[in-house]
Amino acid sequence: MEKLIITAAICGAEVLKEHNPAVPYTVEEMVREAKSAYDAGASIIHLHVRYDDGTPTQDKARFNEIIEAIKKVIPDVIIQPSTGGAVGMSNDERLQPTELLPEMATLDCGTCNFGGDEIFENTENTIKYFGDRMIKLGIKPELEVFDKSMIDMALRLQKKGYISTPMHFDFVMGVNGGITGDLRDFVFLRESIPADATYTVAGVGKFEFPLAMAAIIDGGNVRVGFEDNVYLSKGVLAKSNSELVAKVVRMAKELGREIATPTEARKILGLKAI
Ligand code: KMH
Ligand code: ZN
């Protein structure tokens, strides 16, 4: 079995300090959270950025400032900017961080409800537009799927040349509007991707650690972090993203799965060595 790649989704676009005071907004806070998650065992940082007041932004300059600051302290970490941004942003607004030529970026593969009146919109043409951009710029997409139909869309668009292979998926499970975080649904998604594809699983809220356990056993990879869940255990807020990563490392250790370094993660994902 390959080593386990742990992604830390340290900030997201929706979670606030009101949910957990350790949610990072400022450059210094972002660096603190990225560095401690890396020290705990994360090889990928899935990155959203905020202005100092917590407002989510896809501004290229803000991304650049935060990526540069993170790279200064952990130069080998894989930084994976979000192109999902926040609900309601335009396509070109969302795509700004791709201009910085990151190794990876997310590519959201369908539209879904996001609770209340929120709709996270990704039409077929949007996915084609984003996929095409990433192929042209040599950016490896992490294919964010919130439901099984999004895997089917990704497979269709791969055949049409909008997505490169081998494909790498992120099963985001438990969003209010997407697939549940039940084990049955995890198996359904896992069995729906090509044999040469890799995947990570991001369980939202209470699903984070049960799904992490399933992926560790199955040979998949794991994403944790404040974007998806702010609790270390029921009713106990995590003091930092690093506590969430450290819990996955402990689980992996118990099950005999080794943790991938960024260099090893690059090899597993087919990224260029740095
Ligand atoms: N914030 C969500 C609307 C991604 O990073 O690509 C979208 C999201 C997915 O977080
Ligand atoms: Zn995200």
Side-chain angles (χ1 to χ4, degrees):
M1 207 177 270
E2 293 278 18
K3 291 189 181 180
L4 174 70
I5 301 170
I6 303 176
T7 299
I10 59 175
C11 164
E14 290 82 21
V15 68
L16 300 168
K17 283 190 192 292
E18 284 77 4
H19 303 118
N20 184 324
V23 171
Y25 297 164
T26 67
V27 177
E28 293 70 28
E29 289 168 347
M30 296 293 285
V31 172
R32 179 199 74 212
E33 288 301 307
K35 168 89 165 66
S36 63
Y38 168 92
D39 288 343
S43 50
I44 301 178
I45 302 295
H46 168 64
L47 195 65
H48 289 253
V49 300
R50 310 285 185 94
Y51 290 120
D52 286 355
D53 67 357
T55 308
T57 176
Q58 290 292 104
D59 180 59
K60 180 180 159 185
R62 184 68 169 178
F63 260 100
N64 191 44
E65 184 184 12
I66 291 175
I67 290 172
E68 288 297 312
I70 293 173
K71 288 267 179 190
K72 215 171 187 172
V73 292
I74 41 174
D76 69 331
V77 76
I78 299 168
I79 296 189
Q80 177 201 85
S82 169
T83 67
V87 167
M89 290 178 172
S90 72
N91 288 348
D92 287 328
E93 192 178 0
R94 285 166 51 182
L95 277 169
Q96 288 179 78
T98 61
E99 292 167 27
L100 301 169
L101 304 181
E103 299 172 85
M104 294 185 89
T106 55
L107 171 50
D108 293 276
C109 294
T111 296
C112 66
N113 284 336
F114 234 66
D117 288 325
E118 304 277 88
I119 301 173
F120 183 36
E121 202 175 298
N122 295 282
T123 65
E124 181 185 16
N125 287 344
T126 293
I127 305 163
K128 286 179 172 173
Y129 183 50
F130 281 40
D132 208 36
R133 168 81 66 101
M134 291 189 204
I135 285 180
K136 285 198 177 104
L137 297 177
I139 299 169
K140 171 128 185 168
E142 178 167 284
L143 304 163
E144 306 281 308
V145 296
F146 297 76
D147 218 330
K148 156 71 163 59
S149 60
M150 298 191 196
I151 295 179
D152 302 328
M153 173 63 86
L155 295 176
R156 276 198 300 278
L157 294 187
Q158 185 279 317
K159 283 200 187 82
K160 290 183 178 171
Y162 293 99
I163 295 170
S164 54
T165 55
M167 301 165 87
H168 175 65
F169 291 87
D170 179 23
F171 305 150
V172 186
M173 303 184 68
V175 167
N176 180 13
I179 201 163
T180 78
D182 293 345
L183 204 51
R184 178 199 60 172
D185 286 342
F186 167 75
V187 173
F188 184 37
L189 298 187
R190 197 259 162 276
E191 290 188 345
S192 302
I193 63 173
D196 69 345
T198 49
Y199 78 86
T200 191
V201 67
V204 172
K206 66 179 181 183
F207 296 115
E208 185 160 85
F209 292 109
L211 287 170
M213 185 67 92
I216 293 167
I217 294 166
D218 184 52
N221 302 290
V222 174
R223 177 175 114 174
V224 289
F226 289 158
E227 176 164 347
D228 306 323
N229 164 52
V230 294
Y231 291 99
L232 186 58
S233 56
K234 195 168 183 200
V236 180
L237 287 174
K239 289 192 189 73
S240 73
N241 280 279
S242 66
E243 286 197 334
L244 303 172
V245 173
K247 183 162 171 172
V248 175
V249 171
R250 288 198 299 278
M251 288 160 55
K253 208 172 222 170
E254 286 296 326
L255 292 164
R257 187 108 185 260
E258 289 180 71
I259 309 300
T261 63
T263 301
E264 290 163 341
R266 284 188 176 87
K267 210 158 162 219
I268 294 166
L269 295 172
L271 302 173
K272 280 192 212 101
I274 60 159

